[in-house]
Amino acid sequence: MASPLVFAPLVAVLGALFALAAAPLAPSIDRSVSRLSLSAFGRFARRRRDANPDQVAALQGAHVPQTYRVYAARTYFYATVGALAGSILGVYLVASVLVFLGTASEALQSRFPAAVQSLFVDGVGGFAVGELFGIFLASGATFGVLAGYAAYQFRWSMPSYRAGERERRIDASMERTVAFLYALSRSGMALPEVLRILARNREVYGESAEEMGVAVKDVDMYGADILRALGRLGHRTPSEELAEFAENLTSVLQSGRDLPGFLERQYEYYAEEAEAQQEQFLELLATLAEAYVTLLVAGPLFLITILVVVGLTLGDTLTFLRFTAYLLIPMATVGFVVYLDSITETATGGATVDEEDSESASRFQSIRGRPARTDGGQTESASTPLNRQRLDVYETLRPILYRLRNPVTVIRESPTVLLYGTMPLAALYLAVQWWPLVAAGSTDLAAYDGPLVHAALFVLGTFTVAYELHRRRVKAVEAGVPDFLDRFASTNEAGMPVVQSFGRVVGSDLGALSTELERTWADVQWGARIEHALGRFRDRTDTPAISRVVTLTTNAMHASGDLGPVLRIAANEAKATRRLERDRRSELLTYLVVTYIAFFVFLAIIVALDVIFIPNIPVVEAAAPTDQVPGGGGTGAFSRTANLTQATKDAYSLVFFHTGLVQAVCSGLVAGQMGQGSVKAGAKHATVMLALAYGTFLVLA
């Protein structure tokens, strides 16, 4: 028996790897790793900075919160640890293989080539000490180099990948960002203040606002002038579009030319670019739709058909069919959906909380802070700490109580919350249905899949209803935004004050938006400031379009009472966005239909194999001679169909059934991602396809 000391290096390696994996979650470990890395590789990393400008640019573009010296030193440290760990693990792996070869059974030994079988007799003991040392040295060096190189490449590929993702998001949000800059500069606000407001609303305007925040930080925290900050922004950003815009903006500021005129031209340019990019995206989506139908629908279908024929003529292929149904199709679909999500994701805005506009953020600030002493020097009363504790408990429980008192409203505003209730109910249903089967020791998978399908339909169906109600409410509210802005701008340009203009617009018919505007107007009539009322209106609707409108309007009010030009710009931007969404929806409807047709073809062929092809193959209880088949003479490959028993036919039927169900869910998710740009929207299509597939097999099979 081997000594426990033999496994000491293995335990040490696993402990070191675990510590490195826990470093991002434990600040003390993370600081220790940084100190060790800098002490070992800090000087070398500093010298390599000038030789690796691409790595420096990737770190800056990805907004990695570490300097190049720290990140590079940690990378070298990880690569070194990876090389050592790979070397030690390689030695243990090779030793385990040698021990296994020496103790393998004769039946297993016969399956290996003759060159390998010679090792079974000798095992580890058949090698001299020098030979073993050479084997371990070669294996350790090989695994060590591979592990170190993989760790090094992975560490440097992550900033490049993040920078590329940020570049795509910045380019996608440039149109709305430039529209925001143009609108506020048109109102008379200074550019540095406009950039500050933009940086505070990065959740609304996306990655471009995040990038502008770098320039704002240079001005406010480090004392740089706006020209130098914009110059640094152009060098640091991963987006060529933003770099060019920053360079042109710097030139305009230096020359003293008309800034609003420049921003207007830039906005028109990015609006045209958005249309061109959407055309390119639709062309790419058309290619991806064809690729999906070919590779992930027709491809598995052809593969299944070939495997069935081969399995019935030459040998058992049930294992490959199960691999195709349970692993290949789901994994390929997940990869395809992730890729679709990466190219369709845009910088959507949510509700932000501005410290100047939020009353609730500062309403109880004095109560929570340290109480001031009175002039008489008396401290707080004995009941004050208790009242503060009660207030803290109330503030903690208030959102929970609101959800409990208004479950329908919460589900309507956030459909994902519904899954927290339906999934436990589905799990409870499965436990009730499966427990008698488990207690009876049943191993028939066909008895388990019925309740699983019922639970899946329940979860997907209820989420579909909630999500569709939420989506339609949001779309209905956003549909009235362009008309609202147009009318608001017209009344303001006619000379009405902001509050009076808003009240006049509320009385007009704006569809679903009118209800929310009436609530906002009631808020104003009860004494709230128009900025605060609009902020609560934004929080209630919680849509990207409303968030952008409210952010722009409330900030323009601080600059000037003449909101007409600003609102007109926002109206044009909202109209352009609506037009692009409408064009995209009409184009994507074609691909949605293609996905449904491909699924129906897949389901029809699978059902035909299960209902027509398999039942018509002769069944025998035992293997017939290899030179004939039941019912007549025959030789060749088809003679092996005599080995098809009823159990085998049932196994094939079960795989076909499961394949149809898996393909239904996968096709539904792809249809949602392709048709509406969201996997959540795919729940509707997955529910429909899953119900059709399940009902078809129940009726025909």
Side-chain angles (χ1 to χ4, degrees):
M1 184 175 180
S3 173
L5 295 177
V6 174
F7 299 99
L10 179 62
V11 174
V13 166
L14 295 178
L17 295 178
F18 177 78
L20 291 180
L25 305 177
S28 59
I29 299 178
D30 192 70
R31 287 192 297 269
S32 300
V33 171
S34 297
R35 293 192 186 100
L36 289 174
S37 303
L38 289 174
S39 61
F41 303 101
R43 295 181 180 178
F44 179 73
R46 185 188 295 112
R47 292 194 299 267
R48 295 290 299 173
R49 176 185 174 87
D50 296 335
N52 297 289
D54 294 338
Q55 295 177 353
V56 176
L59 291 176
Q60 294 176 347
H63 282 191
V64 176
Q66 294 175 352
T67 63
Y68 175 84
R69 176 170 172 261
V70 174
Y71 192 88
R74 288 175 65 107
T75 300
Y76 296 136
F77 180 76
Y78 282 131
T80 303
V81 173
L84 294 175
S87 301
I88 297 175
L89 293 177
V91 170
Y92 279 96
L93 178 61
V94 172
S96 301
V97 171
L98 293 177
V99 172
F100 171 76
L101 294 178
T103 58
S105 62
E106 295 182 358
L108 183 61
Q109 294 176 11
S110 61
R111 298 186 178 183
F112 289 88
V116 179
Q117 291 184 20
S118 61
L119 299 177
F120 288 109
V121 180
D122 299 332
V124 179
F127 293 94
V129 176
E131 293 175 341
L132 284 176
F133 178 78
I135 293 175
F136 291 153
L137 181 61
S139 61
T142 302
F143 284 102
V145 170
L146 291 177
Y149 180 76
Y152 180 84
Q153 291 296 328
F154 177 78
R155 284 276 298 176
W156 283 120
S157 64
M158 289 305 297
S160 300
Y161 173 77
R162 293 174 185 171
E165 286 293 302
R166 295 195 67 250
E167 178 184 7
R168 183 183 56 79
R169 295 191 182 99
I170 291 171
D171 293 342
S173 60
M174 281 298 295
E175 179 190 5
R176 66 193 61 167
T177 299
V178 175
F180 180 83
L181 297 177
Y182 170 45
L184 288 188
S185 64
R186 182 74 180 271
S187 68
M189 187 177 296
L191 181 62
E193 185 61 26
V194 174
L195 294 180
R196 290 188 185 95
I197 296 174
L198 179 63
R200 287 201 298 267
N201 294 278
R202 60 192 64 183
E203 294 183 8
V204 178
Y205 289 93
E207 288 292 337
S208 56
E210 179 79 20
E211 203 72 1
M212 288 294 185
V214 177
V216 173
K217 186 180 296 184
D218 283 346
V219 174
D220 293 342
M221 297 185 63
Y222 303 110
D225 59 85
I226 188 64
L227 298 178
R228 182 176 299 177
L230 290 175
R232 289 192 59 192
L233 173 64
H235 288 92
R236 290 174 57 93
T237 181
S239 172
E240 296 182 1
E241 293 281 349
L242 183 56
E244 182 179 359
F245 174 77
E247 183 179 355
N248 295 335
L249 181 59
T250 303
S251 302
V252 170
L253 295 177
Q254 288 176 336
S255 62
R257 288 182 291 174
D258 181 27
L259 179 61
F262 163 76
L263 293 175
E264 181 181 9
R265 292 189 296 272
Q266 289 291 304
Y267 167 67
E268 294 175 353
Y269 165 76
Y270 284 114
E272 295 176 356
E273 281 292 312
E275 295 182 359
Q277 290 177 1
Q278 174 159 287
E279 293 179 359
Q280 295 177 358
F281 168 74
L282 293 177
E283 293 177 359
L284 174 61
L285 203 59
T287 304
L288 292 176
E290 296 176 358
Y292 171 75
V293 173
T294 303
L295 297 178
L296 299 184
V297 179
L301 188 60
F302 293 152
L303 180 61
I304 290 171
T305 305
I306 293 173
L307 289 175
V308 170
V309 174
V310 171
L312 297 177
T313 58
L314 299 179
D316 185 17
T317 56
L318 277 173
T319 302
F320 296 101
L321 285 174
R322 294 188 179 106
F323 172 78
T324 302
Y326 304 141
L327 289 179
L328 180 61
I329 295 177
M331 292 177 63
T333 302
V334 169
F336 187 79
V337 169
V338 170
Y339 176 71
L340 274 180
D341 183 69
S342 67
I343 64 174
T344 56
E345 180 187 3
T346 56
T348 58
T352 57
V353 179
D354 196 318
E355 294 179 0
E356 298 177 357
D357 296 337
S358 177
E359 292 178 330
S360 60
S362 58
R363 183 176 299 169
F364 302 108
Q365 185 175 1
S366 61
I367 298 178
R368 290 174 178 163
R370 178 176 295 179
R373 295 176 182 270
T374 61
D375 293 338
Q378 295 178 354
T379 59
E380 60 184 4
S381 62
S383 62
T384 301
L386 181 60
N387 292 335
R388 189 181 298 115
Q389 292 177 3
R390 292 173 178 172
L391 182 60
D392 291 338
V393 172
Y394 171 75
E395 290 295 322
T396 303
L397 296 179
R398 183 171 62 173
I400 301 176
L401 295 176
Y402 173 79
R403 288 175 172 82
L404 294 176
R405 292 168 181 169
N406 306 277
V408 177
T409 303
V410 172
I411 293 174
R412 186 180 59 185
E413 295 175 352
S414 181
T416 310
V417 177
L418 184 63
L419 297 177
Y420 294 104
T422 56
M423 293 186 70
L425 289 177
L428 179 62
Y429 171 77
L430 290 177
V432 172
Q433 294 293 322
W434 284 353
W435 176 250
L437 301 175
V438 175
S442 175
T443 58
D444 184 12
L445 295 179
Y448 293 90
D449 51 28
L452 182 61
V453 174
H454 300 160
L457 287 173
F458 169 70
V459 174
L460 291 174
T462 52
F463 177 78
T464 295
V465 174
Y467 178 78
E468 285 301 314
L469 292 176
H470 168 75
R471 186 184 65 84
R472 294 184 181 184
R473 181 185 70 87
V474 170
K475 293 299 181 183
V477 170
E478 290 187 344
V481 171
D483 291 338
F484 163 69
L485 292 174
D486 265 337
R487 298 174 188 180
F488 199 4
S490 298
T491 55
N492 188 260
E493 289 172 344
M496 289 186 181
V498 175
V499 177
Q500 187 177 355
S501 299
F502 184 80
R504 179 66 62 87
V505 174
V506 169
S508 57
D509 183 15
L510 294 172
L513 185 60
S514 297
T515 304
E516 294 296 336
L517 291 178
E518 290 172 357
R519 295 177 62 183
T520 305
W521 179 241
D523 200 358
V524 174
Q525 290 179 319
W526 277 87
R529 294 177 57 184
I530 183 67
E531 297 94 332
H532 297 156
L534 289 175
R536 285 186 280 271
F537 163 59
R538 173 195 59 198
D539 296 339
R540 288 194 305 270
T541 55
D542 193 19
T543 67
I546 299 297
S547 297
R548 291 195 295 269
V549 169
V550 172
T551 301
L552 179 61
T553 304
T554 53
N555 286 285
M557 288 178 185
H558 295 293
S560 172
D562 184 16
L563 294 180
V566 176
L567 295 174
R568 190 69 64 187
I569 295 169
N572 294 334
E573 193 265 340
K575 290 179 181 178
T577 302
R578 291 280 300 172
R579 185 177 64 255
L580 291 177
E581 290 180 354
R582 185 171 58 252
D583 295 342
R584 175 185 170 184
R585 186 167 56 251
S586 61
E587 290 288 339
L588 294 181
L589 180 61
T590 304
Y591 311 135
L592 183 62
V593 173
V594 169
T595 304
Y596 267 90
I597 293 176
F599 168 72
F600 289 146
V601 172
F602 183 93
L603 183 62
I605 296 179
I606 287 295
V607 171
L609 289 174
D610 186 31
V611 177
I612 300 175
F613 183 69
I614 295 295
N616 289 320
I617 297 177
V619 177
V620 296
E621 299 299 330
T626 58
D627 58 346
Q628 62 182 6
V629 295
T635 60
F638 286 96
S639 62
R640 294 185 62 91
T641 57
N643 293 326
L644 184 64
T645 62
Q646 185 61 41
T648 306
K649 292 178 64 174
D650 294 340
Y652 275 107
S653 297
L654 184 62
V655 171
F656 292 153
F657 175 55
H658 290 169
T659 304
L661 299 181
V662 170
Q663 186 66 38
V665 176
C666 293
S667 296
L669 297 180
V670 171
Q673 184 66 53
M674 191 172 296
Q676 296 175 344
S678 174
V679 178
K680 295 178 182 179
K684 172 178 61 178
H685 306 292
T687 303
V688 173
M689 293 182 179
L690 183 60
L692 289 175
Y694 185 61
T696 301
F697 275 96
L698 286 183
V699 172
L700 299 179

